[in-house]
Amino acid sequence: NAGVTQTPKFQVLKTGQSMTLQCAQDMNHEYMSWYRQDPGMGLRLIHYSVGAGITDQGEVPNGYNVSRSTTEDFPLRLLSAAPSQTSVYFCASTAGEGTDTQYFGPGTRLTVL
Amino acid sequence: TQLLEQSPQFLSIQEGENLTVYCNSSSVFSSLQWYRQEPGEGPVLLVTVVTGGEVKKLKRLTFQFGDARKDSSLHITAAQPGDTGLYLCAGGGNQFYFGTGTSLTVIP
């Protein structure tokens, strides 16, 4: 199993550009999440999904869209990038909620100029 | 507003010393998890605690969940350079809320 994979690993955007961060998992997990990590802030939940076709907002959803057309994939879209979205983005998956282990991808480091 | 506050934010100690990291919240969680993250990688789960007052041990690491399920602590005995990393707590339910993190450096 590859676990949770994310692409790209690094990305530089100009303000106003759009892009999609890819996330895939091969563990047949129902739950998937996107977090951003900023210095001194820990990880903050952007959006999450409890199964194919179902998504919901987390703590910091503004400026981001998600969709979950398959169990395996959970892409994160930045509609119009802003410097405040400069961060490290992590995708995670888990079999269920609460006590189950979250498996994290290696992260995407995004810089918005 | 951060639901989970961790202290200290930074900790630098000599190899062989003991240390405790704290994770505090005003909210009650159904479970609490501790993760360790190394530079350039995603967090990796160390332990999950679910019962108030629960204590779990993982080799030299001891984790405790507060009686009221609002706080937790991580104690490391005889720290080693390999323990260096960012330690994160996360309160769970339908979503996970992460703490601010404690960056630990163990000096050989």
Side-chain angles (χ1 to χ4, degrees), chain B residues 13-59:
Chain B
I13 62 171
Q14 295 290 329
E15 180 176 1
E17 293 183 350
N18 302 332
L19 67 114
T20 302
V21 174
Y22 299 93
C23 174
N24 296 300
S25 175
S26 56
S27 300
V28 176
F29 293 101
S30 58
S31 66
L32 199 135
Q33 299 183 331
W34 284 93
Y35 291 79
R36 186 171 79 197
Q37 183 180 20
E38 300 193 16
E41 299 180 6
V44 176
L45 181 69
L46 295 173
V47 76
T48 300
V49 285
V50 297
T51 305
E54 182 177 2
V55 177
K56 280 192 174 180
K57 292 192 175 184
L58 185 66
K59 297 183 180 178

Side-chain angles (χ1 to χ4, degrees), chain B residues 54-68:
Chain B
E54 182 177 2
V55 177
K56 280 192 174 180
K57 292 192 175 184
L58 185 66
K59 297 183 180 178
R60 293 177 293 100
L61 279 60
T62 302
F63 304 86
Q64 184 161 8
F65 201 11
D67 290 341

Side-chain angles (χ1 to χ4, degrees), chain A residues 35 43 45 59 98-99 102, chain B residues 3-4 6 23 25 27-35 48-49 65 69-72 88-99:
Chain A
Y35 295 88
L43 283 88
L45 183 65
E59 299 174 68
T99 60
Q102 280 199 103
Chain B
L3 277 182
L4 287 162
Q6 288 185 240
C23 174
S25 175
S27 300
V28 176
F29 293 101
S30 58
S31 66
L32 199 135
Q33 299 183 331
W34 284 93
Y35 291 79
T48 300
V49 285
F65 201 11
R69 290 187 290 134
K70 292 183 179 181
D71 53 80
S72 180
L88 296 159
C89 65
N94 201 27
Q95 309 179 15
F96 282 97
Y97 293 92
F98 277 80

Side-chain angles (χ1 to χ4, degrees), chain A residues 47-81:
Chain A
H47 285 285
Y48 67 101
S49 169
V50 300
I54 306 169
T55 63
D56 206 346
Q57 297 181 351
E59 299 174 68
V60 287
N62 292 341
Y64 308 95
N65 275 358
V66 292
S67 60
R68 184 93 180 273
S69 56
T70 67
T71 300
E72 294 78 20
D73 300 298
F74 191 41
L76 177 72
R77 296 183 188 84
L78 281 70
L79 306 174
S80 178

Side-chain angles (χ1 to χ4, degrees), chain A residues 2-60:
Chain A
V4 180
T5 58
Q6 291 183 238
T7 56
K9 193 158 181 67
F10 300 95
Q11 182 71 50
V12 178
L13 292 178
K14 293 182 180 178
T15 297
Q17 287 185 317
S18 63
M19 80 158 295
T20 299
L21 279 63
Q22 301 292 343
C23 174
Q25 53 93 8
D26 61 0
M27 296 173 283
N28 203 32
H29 285 169
E30 289 295 325
Y31 285 67
M32 296 185 75
S33 305
W34 275 103
Y35 295 88
R36 60 178 289 173
Q37 186 173 32
D38 303 291
M41 299 289 289
L43 283 88
R44 291 181 292 168
L45 183 65
I46 304 171
H47 285 285
Y48 67 101
S49 169
V50 300
I54 306 169
T55 63
D56 206 346
Q57 297 181 351
E59 299 174 68
V60 287

Side-chain angles (χ1 to χ4, degrees), chain A residues 81-105:
Chain A
S84 60
Q85 294 179 304
T86 293
S87 187
V88 182
Y89 290 85
F90 288 99
C91 178
S93 76
T94 181
E97 61 181 284
T99 60
D100 286 339
T101 301
Q102 280 199 103
Y103 295 89
F104 284 83

